[in-house]
């Protein structure tokens, strides 16, 4: 009788590689170093846009707004509604991103190429996620439009406000492109 032995070392090597690369992931967000010309962090503006804010108007702010043609008395309230461009996109698209990543992983997987297969899958997820978030920023689908007060202030000839709240468009979230261009991903 003959004995045949299977060499399982390749399978063991593949399992070891898979265990190592399975700890990798993709992080999607806003470049930490991105800033507007006045030094304001783009991520801080994104947080305000995503979550909204309510603020009591100070006398100094009232004077600034009056200078720009808006009669907003001190102690009144300003309200910026939440414009959840990031969380809404993640919620509505993340399942598609995972399927895309799995497709890239399966198409590129081999024992020798496990790490590259994972990197390709995660890169596909990151690239698509960035594009989808940027589309939401630009198209404003389901996002609150700018208020008439914002339109008036931003159309003021003296207004030099640099933000992504939009000028010349009723749609919010896109003006200078700083926030749009700061959306990125990294493999970790």
């Amino acid at each position: 009788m003959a004995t045949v032995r299977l060499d399982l070392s390749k399978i063991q090597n593949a399992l070891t590689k898979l265990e190592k690369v399975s700890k990798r992931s993709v992080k999607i967000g806003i470049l930490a170093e991105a800033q507007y010309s006045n030094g304001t962090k783009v991520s801080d503006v994104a947080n305000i846009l995503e979550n909204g804010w309510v603020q009591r108007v100070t006398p100094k702010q009232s004077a600034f707004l009056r200078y720009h043609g808006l009669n907003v008395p001190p102690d009144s309230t300003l309200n910026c509604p939440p414009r959840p461009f990031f969380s809404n996109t993640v919620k509505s698209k993340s399942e598609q991103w995972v399927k895309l990543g799995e497709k890239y992983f399966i198409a590129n997987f081999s024992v020798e190429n496990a790490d590259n297969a994972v990197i390709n899958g995660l890169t596909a997820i990151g690239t698509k996620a960035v594009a989808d978030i940027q589309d939401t920023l630009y198209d404003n689908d389901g996002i609150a439009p700018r208020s008439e007060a914002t339109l008036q202030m931003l159309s003021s000839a003296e207004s030099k406000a640099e933000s992504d709240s939009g000028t010349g468009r009723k749609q919010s979230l896109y003006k200078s492109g700083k926030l749009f261009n700061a959306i990125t991903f990294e493999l970790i």
Side-chain angles (χ1 to χ4, degrees), residues 65 67-69 150-161 167:
L65 293 168
Y67 177 78
H68 289 287
T150 301
L151 285 168
Q152 185 177 347
M153 189 177 91
L154 291 175
S155 69
S156 168
E158 293 84 17
S159 177
K160 302 288 186 217
T167 295

Side-chain angles (χ1 to χ4, degrees), residues 17 21 24 104-105 108-123 187:
K17 283 182 180 181
V21 298
R24 298 201 68 167
Y104 272 78
F105 175 75
N108 293 295
F109 181 76
S110 69
V111 172
E112 297 80 20
N113 197 30
D115 196 42
N116 285 338
V118 171
I119 289 170
N120 288 340
L122 293 174
T123 299
L187 302 180

Side-chain angles (χ1 to χ4, degrees), residues 160-188:
K160 302 288 186 217
E162 180 188 13
S163 69
D164 285 279
S165 58
T167 295
R169 294 170 23 136
K170 184 75 176 163
Q171 294 170 300
S172 57
L173 299 177
Y174 191 94
K175 178 189 168 194
S176 69
K178 293 271 188 183
L179 176 56
F180 183 89
N181 291 322
I183 305 295
T184 191
F185 75 93
E186 68 176 311
L187 302 180
I188 51 176

Side-chain angles (χ1 to χ4, degrees), residues 80-164:
C80 175
R83 293 180 169 102
F85 67 93
F86 195 91
S87 59
N88 282 359
T89 306
V90 171
K91 184 178 178 182
S92 69
K93 303 282 186 168
S94 60
E95 225 174 89
Q96 294 172 25
W97 301 338
V98 170
K99 287 178 183 174
L100 178 67
E102 289 170 348
K103 180 179 169 182
Y104 272 78
F105 175 75
I106 291 167
N108 293 295
F109 181 76
S110 69
V111 172
E112 297 80 20
N113 197 30
D115 196 42
N116 285 338
V118 171
I119 289 170
N120 288 340
L122 293 174
T123 299
I125 289 171
T127 302
K128 180 66 172 145
V130 167
D132 287 344
I133 293 166
Q134 288 174 329
D135 285 348
T136 301
L137 281 170
Y138 192 78
D139 296 337
N140 279 224
D141 189 28
I143 302 294
R146 291 179 299 159
S147 71
E148 291 304 318
T150 301
L151 285 168
Q152 185 177 347
M153 189 177 91
L154 291 175
S155 69
S156 168
E158 293 84 17
S159 177
K160 302 288 186 217
E162 180 188 13
S163 69
D164 285 279

Side-chain angles (χ1 to χ4, degrees), residues 6-18 109-112:
L6 293 175
D7 180 7
L8 301 178
S9 62
K10 287 186 178 182
I11 293 173
Q12 185 59 46
N13 287 343
L15 290 173
T16 302
K17 283 182 180 181
L18 279 175
F109 181 76
S110 69
V111 172
E112 297 80 20

